[in-house]
Amino acid sequence: MLKLSALEFFFRTIPESFLIVVIAYLFANKKICKSRFIIASLIIALITYGVRLLPISFGVNTIINMMIFIVIALYIIKIPINVSIFSIFISVILISLCEWLNAILLINVFKIDEFNSSYLKFICNLPSLIMFAIMVYIIYIIRNRICRRFKDVFH
């Protein structure tokens, strides 16, 4: 069981869910529908919270959340299955990379390898969320540049 505090849920899980849905929209090359975007993001955040409460091994929760995201992407966001699979894999890889980089910084630079409180855990894990947001923004910029080049070529 991987319990989340209220602080982590509201300031980590929900923003991360929004970013994951943004990645799906970016790879689907689809304009964001605000209502679907908010509904999908909040459902993903709530399900993530629920799955983390299950008595399962670490890592299994990620696989369950990935499968649920694919279903939500199909039926709520209305993107093709291949795009939803690709986007969730990219999201998980980017989140893992950001958390790995953050862990290296915490352990090697700041000498923090253990959290005494949920507040300290939240503060120490915030940089990985910021890194993930920056990576999503970079994907957005790259996608727009590619779309503009193809638009110029074909028009």
Side-chain angles (χ1 to χ4, degrees):
M1 184 159 41
L2 305 163
K3 284 182 104 174
L4 287 173
S5 68
L7 185 69
E8 291 172 304
F9 177 73
F10 286 107
F11 296 104
R12 173 67 190 216
T13 304
I14 291 176
E16 194 171 86
S17 298
F18 277 101
L19 291 169
I20 290 169
V21 174
V22 167
I23 287 178
Y25 272 107
L26 287 173
F27 285 121
N29 200 20
K30 196 173 175 182
K31 189 175 179 185
I32 293 177
C33 171
K34 289 179 186 175
S35 60
R36 291 179 189 271
F37 174 72
I38 292 169
I39 291 168
S41 299
L42 292 177
I43 289 172
I44 290 167
L46 289 169
I47 290 174
T48 299
Y49 180 77
V51 168
R52 288 186 71 149
L53 292 175
L54 296 173
I56 53 178
S57 300
F58 180 73
V60 176
N61 63 321
T62 304
I63 294 167
I64 292 170
N65 285 328
M66 288 172 73
M67 291 187 292
I68 291 169
F69 173 82
I70 292 167
V71 172
I72 290 170
L74 280 170
Y75 294 107
I76 296 177
I77 305 172
K78 306 284 188 197
I79 62 172
I81 192 165
N82 60 333
V83 176
S84 68
I85 291 170
F86 180 75
S87 67
I88 194 59
F89 273 109
I90 294 298
S91 296
V92 169
I93 290 168
L94 290 177
I95 290 167
S96 299
L97 177 66
C98 293
E99 289 180 358
W100 178 73
L101 290 171
N102 191 45
I104 288 174
L105 285 172
L106 289 173
I107 293 168
N108 294 331
V109 177
F110 299 108
K111 308 295 184 208
I112 299 172
D113 59 354
E114 184 177 317
F115 304 115
N116 299 329
S117 68
S118 62
Y119 181 73
L120 179 63
K121 181 180 175 188
F122 166 73
I123 295 297
C124 288
N125 286 322
L126 196 57
S128 65
L129 179 63
I130 294 168
M131 282 187 261
F132 182 51
I134 291 168
M135 287 184 175
V136 171
Y137 183 68
I138 290 168
I139 291 170
Y140 170 77
I141 290 171
I142 291 169
R143 184 193 141 275
N144 280 348
R145 285 186 182 166
I146 290 170
C147 287
R148 266 191 257 128
R149 283 194 181 137
F150 279 113
K151 188 177 181 182
D152 292 340
V153 170
F154 293 113
H155 285 87

